Amino acid sequence: MSNFDEIIKVLQENNNFLITSHINLDGDGIGSELALYFILKKLNKKAIILNQDRLPKIYDFLPDSGKVHYLEDNSVNPKKIDVVIALDCSNIKRIGKTYEIFKDIKTIINIDHHKSNENYGSINYVDYSTSSVGEIIYELIKSIDIDLLDEKISTCLFTAIMTDTGSFRYSNISSKTFGVASHLTRNGIKPHLIANNIYNRNTYPGLKLLGEALLTLEINESSCVSWLIITRKMLNNTNANNEDIEGIIDIATTLNNVEISILFRETKNNKIKVSFRSKGNFDVNKFAGKFKGGGHPNAAGCLCSGKLEEIKESILSELFDDIKYLGYEN
Ligand code: AMP
Ligand code: MN
Ligand code: MN
């Protein structure tokens, strides 16, 4: 899929845009939002970025990161929106409470790379062969006018691609991804500084939380599944916050022979958020779908109601059945 004509027409014919992304904002969502924001400004359009959640601190180095608004700062007048652009959201639920603000707006452009995307927009551009929405926005800019690509936009898009590919380690990258990254680095950006900002600014409470979480690490008999727990008590003890949880699941995945890892954590609304990662062919998006969640083949999640121990037992038992059936336990 490479036809952006319909989207470009809507961008040209309207003036007031609202750009949004998913709850638990990530680098792909934020980087893509800011890149699109800068493009719309260059096209002399009015644009506002609004998400349910606050910008995670690790992304505050991005150019104009102060323009990434969240619901509680009350900066948006919905009467002035012509078009909503939802980035990196597989369904409306993923947009969160922000959806309430624009649910009466007719034109919603849904740009995404999740296989589980529900085509909820009036225009849907979903390409799950791409690493990230950042890569799609790059192609969109190429279709508009590649000269619009400057250092600021390149920094945002590189951040989107780098974070959604686990720094170019995941199976979602293609030679095209490297081609895009290479082009972006020709625009004066500093990949090592971007990486330092995102990965080398751990907090003390965050590392203490990692220590507590690692004490809960378990593996199954055949060592192909690992799992961890983060409770509210652990967050309180260490003084850590939600942002400090990012990346902890990935450490459980680095275990030799582990194919699938899971993080069970208690949210402040008494729910259990479950994160899944896989290194090989096991499709965690499909697996998370059994629990009304979704995501990508190698990174997915779901939100469950109930007691942590019970949810853990039921998800693990379902997973053990699946891997037995798929022959992982040889
Ligand atoms: P996380 O474990 O929160 O880092 O999420 C990993 C990926 O799974 C994200 O990039 C989302 O695409 C997806 N995801 C997480 N939670 C959900 C959910 N409740 N429903 C659908 N997709 C999800
Ligand atoms: Mn995302
Ligand atoms: Mn993404």
Side-chain angles (χ1 to χ4, degrees), residues 166-218:
S167 302
F168 304 95
R169 285 179 301 135
Y170 298 161
S171 60
N172 59 358
I173 53 172
S174 63
S175 61
K176 202 174 112 250
T177 317
F178 284 112
V180 174
S182 167
H183 186 183
L184 297 175
T185 53
R186 287 201 297 277
N187 282 329
I189 66 165
K190 305 264 180 318
H192 70 290
L193 295 184
I194 296 176
N196 265 336
N197 272 301
I198 295 171
Y199 301 116
N200 294 340
R201 290 198 292 161
N202 275 329
T203 64
Y204 183 70
L207 285 189
K208 296 297 269 184
L209 179 70
L210 169 65
E212 291 227 11
L214 283 177
L215 291 176
T216 73
L217 180 67
E218 288 187 73

Side-chain angles (χ1 to χ4, degrees), residues 26 28 88 113-114 131-133 164 296:
D26 62 13
D28 188 27
D88 204 32
H113 68 130
H114 289 88
S131 67
S132 51
V133 172
D164 249 28
H296 303 283

